[in-house]
Amino acid sequence: MKHRVSKYPARRMGRLLSACRVYRIFSGKLFGRKRERLVSSLLVSVAVYYGLHTAEIRVTVHPSVLFLTLSAFTGSIMWQALMTESTVENMQNLFMLPFERREMVFGYVAAMGLYTLGTKTLPLFAVLAAAAEPGGVESMTGLLGAVHAALAAACIFALSGYAFLLGLFACLPLAAFLFSRNMAVYAALMLVEAGVLTELLNRADAYVFCRQKSLKRKAFKGGKGHSVWRYFGRYLMSHRNYLLNSAGLCGAACLLPCIFRGMKAEMVLPLGFAMLTFHTPLCILLSCDPFLEQAVRALPGQKRAFCVPYALFLSAVFLVTDIVFLCSWEMQNGSIRAVFFAAAFCFALAGGAASVLMEWYFPIRNWKTESDLWHHPRKYVVPGILLMLAGAAGNLL
């Protein structure tokens, strides 16, 4: 009598190999052929940790703040990585070949999750671990929360029709920790939710991760002549997240007077003007669109025709946030003089011009996803220079 050989282990092994194959394709595009990007991120994180640890910079951070920071940061970066157009194009290429739904979903999510955790969350964790010195249990729980956040972001992205309910479900472990102050409960709930979210992803369709931009948009009426300002308006209307970032800067401008309360306006206001130039999305229009950059650099006279309006556009955005900052300062602390508005104008103009010069002469190359652009170290250059000039400006005021 012949023994029957079950085909289920072979099927499962085949699915696992197929998922690993999809993972290798995406991870190769994200990390490089030899995974050099992941290795460099690990080396940078180790260097940052030992540098801050040697400098003995210590900050008291409550475990709830640590968990919330790692989870919120990882979830937002994972969501941003899933929305990147370059990854959508890669998926479209794979959809031309035969594929299995589950293997495609898990291979893609695993690659994007490892990219988010390895290149973005790991450096942040190195900073928090060196400055706050959390215990081993707290560190492992925080990393578990980061993995949970990446999985939750992928699940919410795949099942966008239930985004609100899934968001509340994903926030349940952190809410339970805030009430119970028990890390065991927090970790147990995350593990249970991870199983539920994995099962939901198991039922998701792979095509939902290849989300196309809606073509049903309001048509823009073209004028008789060209206008760079019209292009900026259309660009903002098609990238609403840039508008949200501008609104966030205005909110920060309203909160800065509360942080600087009790300090002299002559010394604090220039610092606020310099900090409010930290508007990364609008400062990378050429870096994030290689075709636009190629056209601008190829056509004659575009260095002046594009860069000057671009600098004025950025200066106008910076000036709006500076005025919000000044109005908030006047309502909370008073003592605003006309010379402060002149200083805001000068800082906004300098920030816009410096940002365009950085974008023209030092564009960001070889980026994989949009989160690489948003979190590139270059974004600290212009605010850092203006912060150094703010001290001298405070003495003049």
Side-chain angles (χ1 to χ4, degrees):
M1 183 176 180
K2 296 183 179 180
H3 295 282
R4 292 184 179 181
V5 180
S6 177
K7 297 181 180 179
Y8 290 105
R11 287 183 181 178
R12 292 176 182 175
M13 183 60 66
R15 290 176 179 176
L16 180 61
L17 292 176
S18 179
C20 291
R21 190 179 302 112
V22 174
Y23 165 78
R24 285 198 302 271
I25 293 174
F26 282 106
S27 61
K29 293 181 178 295
L30 293 172
F31 300 120
R33 293 182 178 180
K34 297 182 180 180
R35 307 299 186 268
E36 59 272 10
R37 187 177 181 83
L38 185 61
V39 175
S40 62
S41 177
L42 179 60
L43 294 177
V44 168
S45 301
V46 172
V48 168
Y49 174 80
Y50 279 105
L52 293 176
H53 185 76
T54 304
E56 296 184 354
I57 299 176
R58 300 293 180 266
V59 178
T60 302
V61 178
H62 194 270
S64 60
V65 177
L66 175 67
F67 300 155
L68 178 61
T69 302
L70 291 174
S71 298
F73 180 80
T74 304
S76 61
I77 297 299
M78 182 68 176
W79 182 272
Q80 189 178 23
L82 293 172
M83 291 290 293
T84 303
E85 295 182 4
S86 59
T87 57
V88 173
E89 294 175 357
N90 294 333
M91 291 204 74
Q92 288 178 344
N93 296 332
L94 285 180
F95 284 150
M96 298 179 182
L97 303 174
F99 68 92
E100 294 290 338
R101 176 183 58 83
R102 296 178 182 177
E103 288 74 5
M104 175 70 78
V105 169
F106 284 108
Y108 176 68
V109 172
M112 299 303 294
L114 183 60
Y115 166 80
T116 302
L117 294 169
T119 62
K120 299 298 184 292
T121 305
L122 186 60
L124 175 63
F125 177 75
V127 173
L128 293 175
E133 290 189 341
V137 177
E138 294 178 356
S139 299
M140 295 302 296
T141 306
L143 292 176
L144 178 61
V147 176
H148 170 267
L151 185 61
C155 191
I156 294 173
F157 187 88
L159 304 174
S160 57
Y162 303 93
F164 181 73
L165 295 177
L166 289 174
L168 293 178
F169 181 68
C171 294
L172 181 61
L174 186 60
F177 175 75
L178 293 177
F179 283 102
S180 64
R181 305 292 181 180
N182 192 329
M183 281 189 289
V185 174
Y186 177 57
L189 286 176
M190 283 193 298
L191 291 175
V192 172
E193 283 198 1
V196 176
L197 295 174
T198 302
E199 180 60 27
L200 292 176
L201 280 178
N202 189 34
R203 300 173 182 273
D205 190 359
Y207 285 99
V208 298
F209 292 99
C210 189
R211 189 171 298 174
Q212 296 285 343
K213 290 187 176 180
S214 177
L215 299 177
K216 297 180 180 180
R217 291 180 179 172
K218 183 179 179 180
F220 294 97
K221 295 182 179 180
K224 295 182 179 180
H226 69 277
S227 174
V228 179
W229 294 95
R230 189 184 300 120
Y231 168 78
F232 291 144
R234 293 178 179 179
Y235 194 87
L236 287 178
M237 293 305 297
S238 60
H239 295 77
R240 302 295 177 85
N241 54 339
Y242 291 7
L243 295 176
L244 292 176
N245 191 274
S246 301
L249 273 180
C250 291
C254 295
L255 294 176
L256 282 178
C258 300
I259 300 174
F260 295 142
R261 181 173 297 173
M263 303 177 68
K264 292 183 178 180
E266 292 79 3
M267 300 302 298
V268 170
L269 291 180
L271 295 177
F273 298 152
M275 295 169 62
L276 292 175
T277 59
F278 197 72
H279 198 311
T280 302
L282 291 182
C283 297
I284 55 173
L285 294 188
L286 294 179
S287 295
C288 69
D289 193 345
F291 298 104
L292 173 64
E293 182 188 4
Q294 183 179 4
V296 170
R297 293 184 184 273
L299 296 176
Q302 292 301 307
K303 184 176 180 180
R304 179 179 179 182
F306 181 83
C307 292
V308 173
Y310 185 22
L312 294 176
F313 170 70
L314 290 179
S315 300
V317 174
F318 295 154
L319 185 59
V320 169
T321 55
D322 291 344
I323 291 176
V324 172
F325 176 46
L326 289 173
C327 294
S328 178
W329 184 277
E330 174 64 25
M331 288 187 293
Q332 299 184 43
N333 302 318
S335 68
I336 291 296
R337 295 182 281 121
V339 67
F340 294 144
F341 287 92
F345 177 79
C346 293
F347 269 89
L349 191 62
S355 299
V356 173
L357 288 176
M358 290 293 297
E359 184 69 353
W360 183 264
Y361 290 105
F362 304 99
I364 303 174
R365 309 287 191 187
N366 301 323
W367 51 274
K368 300 299 183 181
T369 64
E370 289 183 358
S371 59
D372 294 340
L373 292 171
W374 284 48
H375 301 89
H376 196 274
R378 199 199 72 177
K379 68 179 182 179
Y380 301 104
V381 174
V382 174
I385 294 174
L386 293 180
L387 282 173
M388 291 187 290
L389 296 177
N395 296 326
L396 295 176
L397 296 176

